[in-house]
Amino acid sequence: MPSFYAAAAFSLPLLQLASAHGYVAGIKVNQGSWIEGANPNWYYQPAGSAPETPGWQALNQDNGFVSPNAFSTSDIACHKSAKPGQKYIEAVGGDTLTLYWNTWPDTHKGPIINYLAKCSGECTSASAGSLSFTKISEGAWLSGSDPGDWVTDTMIAQNFTSDFKLPSGLAPGNYILRHEIIALHSAGSANGAQAYPQCLNIKVGGGGSTALPSGTPATNLYTPTDPGILFSLYSSFDSYPIPGPDVWSG
Ligand SMILES: *[C@@H]1O[C@H](CO)[C@@H](O)[C@H](O)[C@H]1NC(C)=O
Ligand SMILES: [Cu+2]
């Protein structure tokens, strides 16, 4: 009996922490109609029984994260063992996309970064390990320190939404959006940062002619010792180096 209670007391807070993480539940283009994302709980549903959406599904039933020691594996592309979304968000260059997280814990402060990869052919049959990404927007530290005010706080205050603009003039084609939060609350320790990448397919139309650069393979975006990955949130600082390649201005 005492050991049962000890085990229950230990495991309950962990479960609560895990369930408090989020995923991208939906998207709007220029504040238009709601487009459903992928729910991690669909991963194990038999083929054809889960709703088809633009969102990639991942082996992420705990709403968990990718650790720095997996940043050189394909899991960093679109989360763990990800498989492609079967639909597309339709947009054109210059559109504003708003991503709706279902929830997010305010302790999980850090950067919010958006990348695009061009699919050769359909994104619905793309393989996460083959994707190369170009960073198109980033935000992170706003003010203060220890821990300070971060774009994740803004996202929570805006009904768990984060938005960005597709590069104007972007050439038509099939792209994968890699939207990511990196939580820094444990990042002062080796392997303590937490990456939460979310991928969604976008079919870009319109008459743009600017080609996306070839980008950086997902497995080369970050290393465990980048200064923005191994970073003490609970200390005094006056800057924060956002990890990954430079933002492409389009
Ligand atoms: C907040 O977002 C949810 C979807 O996550 C939506 O249903 C709700 O209407 C939004 N609330 C406001 C005030 O916009
Ligand atoms: Cu957490």
Side-chain angles (χ1 to χ4, degrees), residues 21 108 185 194 196:
H21 297 143
H108 288 40
H185 52 288
Q194 303 181 349
Y196 295 83

Side-chain angles (χ1 to χ4, degrees), residues 217-234:
T219 50
N220 294 348
L221 288 174
Y222 314 126
T223 79
T225 54
D226 288 350
I229 297 295
L230 188 59
F231 179 85
S232 274
L233 183 68
Y234 290 95

Side-chain angles (χ1 to χ4, degrees), residues 25 33 68 91 144 160 163 197:
S33 52
F160 305 105
D163 56 35

